[in-house]
């Protein structure tokens, strides 16, 4: 084992975990590196010899660990290390998956206090769980808004950690820094203008990223940050800054929904029917909780919306799920017809 204290890849997250995965794809002429930024047809890879522009086909994504060959006259990515996690959304332009970042261990869901939206935070948290990582909610700009947004989110999003920050006053920045573990990678996710790059700069202790005031409606779609970028954090850990994305369509199997909505999942175990949709079913413990004032109806609405979206995605990609849904609908129709007949008989 080599002395890692002088290994230039360690601040980028290199360690035993990556070494083992890299060994699976290494060849005599390749060396390891991490993709720090992706350009149109090439990517910037940090290696022990410094940062280099490498061509690759297909292009890896930011956060990928790769094997590059530097022996030819141009640097080429020869292989991509098996990802342990991937932040995925549905490509807004079509029915494809788009990987936003690879090999992340933590998603910092930035939630600006001046533009509260619990539903958005729930969607982003779900994407984090679906990606194989976990979310921590970082409320930003708390100097602008004295409301109890962080408390609201902590209450509503049961079991998720919430950190209050202000890059202006410096509040909470050390708490976020403490979340960034050596050899672990965190990614900033959140709407444009949330203060992601500002927070990144505060963590880095320098203005590495450009920041700008939130733009007016006439300049919609323009983001200050235009590409995803990976940087080592001096106090430990690795950070990926991303441009705020407007559309965050879900893409995934739906394993994350019970973690995002742990309170509803727990209640659902007490519903009379195992396949209860918590809509109009008799003996529904979830609806009972709303009626009793124990569950926020907005949270249930958010759950239903995301659940429907996931179910739709599942049916689209999975013919077995599609057939199951068809059978379920048929059974419901049959049941409704039967009830109708019975009603007629009673009259
Ligand atoms: N008052 C206040 N303003 C902040 C804070 N953090 C960021 N801002 C301001 O919010 C604006 C947007 O910040 P950015 O860091 O560029 O936002 P971003 O999330 O990186 O935006 P995109 O790159 O477009 O996704 C800038 O004008 C910042 O100065 C904060 O804690 N308090
Ligand atoms: Mg930015
Ligand atoms: Zn129910």
């Amino acid at each position: 084992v080599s002395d890692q204290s002088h290994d230039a890849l360690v601040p980028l997250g290199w360690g035993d975990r990556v070494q083992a995965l890299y060994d699976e794809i290494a060849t005599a002429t390749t060396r390891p590196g991490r993709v720090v930024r992706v350009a149109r047809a090439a990517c910037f890879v940090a290696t022990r010899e410094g940062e280099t522009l490498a061509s690759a086909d297909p292009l890896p994504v930011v956060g990928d660990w790769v094997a590059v060959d530097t022996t030819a006259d141009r640097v080429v990515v020869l292989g991509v290390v098996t990802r342990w996690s991937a932040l995925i959304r549905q490509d807004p332009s079509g029915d494809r998956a788009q990987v936003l970042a690879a090999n992340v261990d933590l998603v910092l869901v930035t939630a600006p206090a001046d533009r509260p939206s619990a539903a958005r935070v729930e969607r982003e948290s779900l994407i984090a769980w679906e990606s194989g990582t976990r979310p921590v909610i970082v409320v930003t700009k708390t100097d602008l808004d004295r409301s109890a947004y962080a408390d609201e989110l902590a209450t509503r999003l049961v079991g998720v950690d919430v950190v209050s920050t202000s890059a202006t006053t410096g509040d909470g920045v050390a708490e976020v820094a403490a979340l960034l573990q050596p050899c672990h990678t965190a990614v900033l996710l959140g709407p444009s203008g949330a203060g992601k790059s500002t927070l990144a700069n505060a963590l880095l202790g320098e203005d590495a990223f450009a920041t700008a005031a939130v733009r007016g409606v006439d300049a919609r779609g323009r983001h200050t940050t235009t590409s995803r970028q990976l940087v080592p954090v001096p106090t430990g850990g690795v950070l990926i800054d991303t441009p705020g994305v407007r559309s965050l369509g879900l893409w995934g199997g739906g394993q994350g929904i019970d973690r995002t909505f742990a309170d509803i999942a727990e209640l659902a175990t007490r519903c009379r029917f195992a396949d209860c949709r918590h809509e109009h079913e008799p003996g529904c413990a979830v609806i009972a909780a709303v009626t009793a004032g124990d569950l926020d109806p907005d949270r249930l609405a958010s759950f239903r919306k995301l659940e429907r979206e996931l179910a739709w995605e599942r049916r689209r990609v999975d013919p077995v799920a599609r057939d199951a849904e068809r059978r379920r609908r048929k059974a419901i129709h049959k049941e409704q017809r039967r009830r109708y007949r019975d009603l007629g008989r009673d009259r």
Side-chain angles (χ1 to χ4, degrees), residues 56-105:
D57 187 24
L59 274 175
V61 304
V62 67
D64 265 327
W65 285 97
V66 293
V68 291
D69 188 342
T70 54
T71 53
D73 46 333
R74 61 185 191 128
V75 183
V76 183
V77 172
L78 287 188
V80 179
V81 161
T82 307
R83 294 168 181 161
W84 64 81
S85 71
L87 199 66
I88 302 176
R89 72 159 169 173
Q90 188 179 147
D91 191 313
S93 65
D95 51 2
R96 285 182 305 128
Q98 184 192 15
V99 183
L100 298 174
N103 302 324
V104 294
D105 304 292

Coordinates of all heavy atoms in Angstrom, one line a residue, residues 56-105:
A56 N -13.8 10.9 -25.2 CA -14.5 9.7 -24.7 C -15.7 9.5 -25.5 O -16.4 10.4 -25.9 CB -14.8 9.9 -23.2
D57 N -16.0 8.2 -25.7 CA -17.3 7.9 -26.4 C -17.8 6.6 -25.9 O -17.1 5.5 -26.1 CB -17.0 7.8 -28.0 CG -18.3 7.7 -28.7 OD1 -19.4 8.0 -28.2 OD2 -18.3 7.2 -29.8
P58 N -18.9 6.5 -25.2 CA -19.7 7.7 -24.9 C -19.1 8.5 -23.8 O -18.2 8.0 -23.1 CB -21.0 7.0 -24.4 CG -20.5 5.7 -23.8 CD -19.4 5.2 -24.7
L59 N -19.6 9.7 -23.6 CA -19.1 10.6 -22.6 C -19.5 10.1 -21.2 O -20.6 9.8 -21.0 CB -19.6 12.0 -22.8 CG -18.9 12.9 -23.8 CD1 -19.7 14.2 -23.9 CD2 -17.5 13.2 -23.3
P60 N -18.5 10.1 -20.3 CA -18.9 9.8 -18.9 C -19.6 11.1 -18.3 O -19.8 12.1 -19.0 CB -17.6 9.6 -18.2 CG -16.5 10.2 -19.1 CD -17.1 10.3 -20.4
V61 N -20.0 11.0 -17.1 CA -20.6 12.2 -16.4 C -19.7 12.7 -15.3 O -18.8 12.0 -14.9 CB -22.0 11.9 -15.9 CG1 -22.9 11.4 -17.0 CG2 -22.0 10.9 -14.7
V62 N -19.9 13.9 -14.8 CA -19.2 14.4 -13.7 C -19.3 13.5 -12.5 O -20.3 13.0 -12.2 CB -19.6 15.9 -13.4 CG1 -21.0 15.9 -12.8 CG2 -18.6 16.5 -12.4
G63 N -18.1 13.2 -11.9 CA -18.1 12.3 -10.7 C -17.6 10.9 -11.1 O -17.3 10.1 -10.2
D64 N -17.7 10.6 -12.4 CA -17.2 9.2 -12.8 C -15.7 9.1 -12.5 O -14.9 10.0 -12.7 CB -17.5 9.0 -14.3 CG -18.8 8.3 -14.6 OD1 -19.2 7.5 -13.8 OD2 -19.4 8.6 -15.6
W65 N -15.4 7.9 -12.1 CA -13.9 7.5 -12.1 C -13.6 6.8 -13.4 O -14.4 5.9 -13.8 CB -13.7 6.6 -10.9 CG -13.6 7.4 -9.6 CD1 -14.7 7.5 -8.7 CD2 -12.5 8.1 -9.0 NE1 -14.3 8.3 -7.6 CE2 -13.0 8.6 -7.8 CE3 -11.2 8.3 -9.5 CZ2 -12.1 9.4 -7.0 CZ3 -10.4 9.1 -8.7 CH2 -10.8 9.6 -7.5
V66 N -12.6 7.1 -14.0 CA -12.3 6.6 -15.3 C -10.8 6.1 -15.4 O -10.0 6.4 -14.6 CB -12.5 7.6 -16.5 CG1 -14.0 8.0 -16.5 CG2 -11.7 8.9 -16.2
A67 N -10.6 5.2 -16.4 CA -9.3 4.8 -16.8 C -8.9 5.5 -18.1 O -9.6 5.4 -19.1 CB -9.2 3.3 -17.0
V68 N -7.8 6.4 -18.0 CA -7.4 7.1 -19.2 C -6.1 6.6 -19.7 O -5.2 6.1 -18.9 CB -7.3 8.6 -18.9 CG1 -8.7 9.2 -18.7 CG2 -6.3 8.9 -17.8
D69 N -6.0 6.6 -21.0 CA -4.8 6.2 -21.7 C -4.1 7.5 -22.2 O -4.6 8.2 -22.9 CB -5.1 5.3 -22.9 CG -3.8 4.7 -23.5 OD1 -2.7 5.3 -23.2 OD2 -3.9 3.7 -24.2
T70 N -2.9 7.7 -21.6 CA -2.2 8.9 -22.0 C -0.9 8.6 -22.9 O -0.1 9.5 -23.1 CB -1.7 9.7 -20.7 OG1 -0.9 8.7 -19.9 CG2 -2.8 10.2 -19.9
T71 N -0.9 7.4 -23.3 CA 0.4 7.0 -24.1 C 0.3 7.4 -25.5 O 1.3 7.6 -26.2 CB 0.6 5.5 -24.0 OG1 -0.6 4.8 -24.4 CG2 1.0 5.0 -22.6
A72 N -1.0 7.6 -26.1 CA -1.1 8.0 -27.4 C -0.9 9.5 -27.5 O -0.7 10.2 -26.5 CB -2.5 7.6 -28.0
D73 N -1.1 10.1 -28.7 CA -0.9 11.6 -28.8 C -2.0 12.4 -28.2 O -1.9 13.6 -28.0 CB -0.6 12.0 -30.2 CG -1.5 11.4 -31.2 OD1 -2.0 10.3 -30.9 OD2 -1.7 12.0 -32.3
R74 N -3.2 11.7 -28.0 CA -4.3 12.4 -27.3 C -4.8 11.5 -26.2 O -4.7 10.3 -26.3 CB -5.4 12.8 -28.3 CG -6.0 11.7 -28.9 CD -7.0 12.1 -30.0 NE -7.8 10.9 -30.4 CZ -9.1 10.8 -30.3 NH1 -9.8 11.8 -30.0 NH2 -9.7 9.7 -30.7
V75 N -5.3 12.1 -25.1 CA -5.7 11.4 -24.0 C -7.1 10.9 -24.3 O -8.0 11.6 -24.7 CB -5.8 12.3 -22.7 CG1 -6.2 11.6 -21.5 CG2 -4.4 13.0 -22.6
V76 N -7.3 9.6 -24.0 CA -8.6 8.9 -24.3 C -9.1 8.2 -23.0 O -8.3 7.5 -22.3 CB -8.4 7.9 -25.4 CG1 -9.8 7.2 -25.7 CG2 -7.8 8.5 -26.6
V77 N -10.4 8.3 -22.8 CA -11.0 7.5 -21.7 C -11.3 6.1 -22.2 O -12.0 5.9 -23.2 CB -12.3 8.2 -21.2 CG1 -13.1 7.2 -20.2 CG2 -12.1 9.5 -20.6
L78 N -10.6 5.1 -21.6 CA -10.8 3.7 -22.1 C -11.8 3.0 -21.3 O -12.3 2.0 -21.8 CB -9.4 3.0 -22.0 CG -8.4 3.4 -23.1 CD1 -7.2 2.4 -23.0 CD2 -9.0 3.4 -24.5
G79 N -12.1 3.4 -20.1 CA -13.1 2.7 -19.4 C -13.7 3.5 -18.2 O -13.0 4.5 -17.8
V80 N -14.9 3.2 -17.8 CA -15.6 3.9 -16.7 C -15.8 2.9 -15.6 O -16.3 1.8 -15.8 CB -16.9 4.5 -17.2 CG1 -17.6 5.2 -16.0 CG2 -16.7 5.5 -18.3
V81 N -15.4 3.3 -14.4 CA -15.5 2.5 -13.2 C -17.0 2.3 -12.9 O -17.8 3.2 -13.0 CB -14.8 3.1 -12.0 CG1 -15.3 2.6 -10.7 CG2 -13.3 3.0 -12.2
T82 N -17.4 1.1 -12.5 CA -18.8 0.8 -12.1 C -19.3 1.8 -11.0 O -18.6 2.0 -10.0 CB -18.9 -0.6 -11.4 OG1 -18.3 -1.5 -12.3 CG2 -20.3 -1.0 -11.2
R83 N -20.4 2.5 -11.3 CA -20.9 3.5 -10.4 C -21.6 2.9 -9.2 O -22.3 2.0 -9.3 CB -21.9 4.4 -11.2 CG -21.3 5.2 -12.3 CD -22.4 5.8 -13.2 NE -21.8 6.5 -14.3 CZ -22.5 6.8 -15.4 NH1 -23.7 6.5 -15.5 NH2 -21.9 7.5 -16.3
W84 N -21.3 3.5 -8.0 CA -22.0 3.0 -6.8 C -23.3 3.8 -6.6 O -24.2 3.4 -5.8 CB -21.2 3.0 -5.6 CG -20.6 4.3 -5.1 CD1 -21.3 5.2 -4.4 CD2 -19.3 4.8 -5.3 NE1 -20.5 6.3 -4.1 CE2 -19.2 6.1 -4.7 CE3 -18.2 4.4 -6.0 CZ2 -18.1 6.9 -4.7 CZ3 -17.0 5.1 -6.0 CH2 -17.0 6.4 -5.4
S85 N -23.4 4.9 -7.3 CA -24.7 5.7 -7.2 C -24.7 6.6 -8.5 O -23.7 6.9 -9.0 CB -24.8 6.5 -6.0 OG -23.9 7.6 -6.0
A86 N -25.9 7.0 -8.8 CA -26.1 7.9 -9.9 C -27.3 8.8 -9.7 O -28.4 8.2 -9.5 CB -26.2 7.1 -11.3
L87 N -27.1 10.1 -9.8 CA -28.3 11.0 -9.7 C -28.9 11.1 -11.1 O -28.3 11.6 -12.0 CB -27.7 12.3 -9.2 CG -28.7 13.3 -8.6 CD1 -29.3 12.8 -7.3 CD2 -28.0 14.6 -8.4
I88 N -30.2 10.6 -11.2 CA -30.8 10.5 -12.5 C -32.1 11.3 -12.6 O -32.9 11.2 -11.6 CB -31.1 9.0 -12.9 CG1 -29.8 8.2 -12.8 CG2 -31.7 8.9 -14.2 CD1 -30.0 6.7 -13.0
R89 N -32.3 12.0 -13.7 CA -33.6 12.5 -13.9 C -34.1 12.1 -15.3 O -33.3 11.6 -16.1 CB -33.6 14.1 -13.8 CG -32.9 14.7 -15.0 CD -33.3 16.2 -15.1 NE -32.4 16.8 -16.1 CZ -32.5 18.1 -16.5 NH1 -33.5 18.8 -16.1 NH2 -31.7 18.6 -17.4
Q90 N -35.3 12.4 -15.6 CA -35.8 12.1 -16.9 C -35.4 13.3 -17.8 O -35.6 14.4 -17.5 CB -37.3 12.0 -16.9 CG -37.8 11.5 -18.3 CD -39.3 11.3 -18.3 OE1 -39.9 11.6 -19.3 NE2 -39.9 11.0 -17.2
D91 N -34.7 12.9 -18.9 CA -34.3 14.0 -19.8 C -35.5 14.8 -20.3 O -36.5 14.2 -20.8 CB -33.6 13.3 -21.0 CG -32.9 14.3 -21.9 OD1 -33.5 15.4 -22.2 OD2 -31.7 14.1 -22.3
P92 N -35.5 16.1 -20.1 CA -36.7 16.9 -20.4 C -37.1 16.8 -21.9 O -38.2 17.1 -22.3 CB -36.3 18.3 -20.0 CG -35.0 18.3 -19.5 CD -34.4 16.9 -19.6
S93 N -36.1 16.5 -22.7 CA -36.4 16.4 -24.2 C -37.0 15.1 -24.6 O -37.3 15.0 -25.8 CB -35.1 16.7 -24.9 OG -34.2 15.7 -24.7
G94 N -37.1 14.1 -23.8 CA -37.6 12.9 -24.3 C -37.6 11.8 -23.2 O -37.5 12.1 -22.0
D95 N -37.9 10.6 -23.7 CA -38.0 9.5 -22.7 C -36.7 8.8 -22.5 O -36.6 7.5 -22.7 CB -39.1 8.6 -23.2 CG -38.9 8.1 -24.6 OD1 -37.9 8.5 -25.2 OD2 -39.8 7.4 -25.1
R96 N -35.7 9.5 -22.1 CA -34.4 8.9 -21.8 C -34.0 9.3 -20.4 O -34.5 10.3 -19.9 CB -33.3 9.4 -22.8 CG -33.4 8.8 -24.1 CD -32.3 9.3 -25.0 NE -32.3 10.7 -25.1 CZ -31.2 11.5 -24.9 NH1 -30.1 10.9 -24.6 NH2 -31.3 12.8 -25.0
A97 N -33.1 8.5 -19.8 CA -32.6 8.9 -18.5 C -31.4 9.8 -18.7 O -30.7 9.7 -19.7 CB -32.2 7.7 -17.7
Q98 N -31.3 10.8 -17.8 CA -30.1 11.6 -17.9 C -29.4 11.6 -16.5 O -30.0 11.9 -15.5 CB -30.4 13.1 -18.2 CG -29.2 14.0 -18.4 CD -29.5 15.4 -18.4 OE1 -30.6 15.9 -18.0 NE2 -28.5 16.2 -18.8
V99 N -28.1 11.1 -16.6 CA -27.4 11.0 -15.3 C -26.7 12.4 -15.1 O -26.0 12.9 -15.9 CB -26.3 10.0 -15.4 CG1 -25.5 9.9 -14.1 CG2 -26.9 8.6 -15.8
L100 N -27.1 13.0 -13.9 CA -26.6 14.3 -13.6 C -25.3 14.3 -12.9 O -24.4 15.2 -13.1 CB -27.6 15.1 -12.7 CG -29.0 15.3 -13.2 CD1 -29.9 15.9 -12.1 CD2 -28.9 16.3 -14.4
A101 N -25.0 13.2 -12.1 CA -23.7 13.1 -11.4 C -23.6 11.6 -11.0 O -24.6 11.0 -10.7 CB -23.7 14.0 -10.2
A102 N -22.3 11.2 -11.0 CA -22.1 9.8 -10.6 C -21.3 9.7 -9.3 O -20.5 10.6 -9.0 CB -21.4 9.0 -11.7
N103 N -21.4 8.6 -8.6 CA -20.6 8.3 -7.5 C -20.7 9.3 -6.4 O -19.7 9.8 -5.9 CB -19.1 8.1 -7.9 CG -19.0 6.9 -8.9 OD1 -19.7 5.9 -8.8 ND2 -18.1 7.1 -9.9
V104 N -21.9 9.7 -6.1 CA -22.1 10.7 -5.0 C -22.6 9.9 -3.8 O -23.2 8.8 -3.9 CB -23.1 11.8 -5.4 CG1 -22.6 12.6 -6.5 CG2 -24.5 11.2 -5.8
D105 N -22.3 10.5 -2.6 CA -22.7 9.8 -1.3 C -23.8 10.6 -0.6 O -24.4 10.1 0.4 CB -21.5 9.7 -0.5 CG -20.4 8.9 -1.2 OD1 -20.5 7.7 -1.4 OD2 -19.3 9.5 -1.6

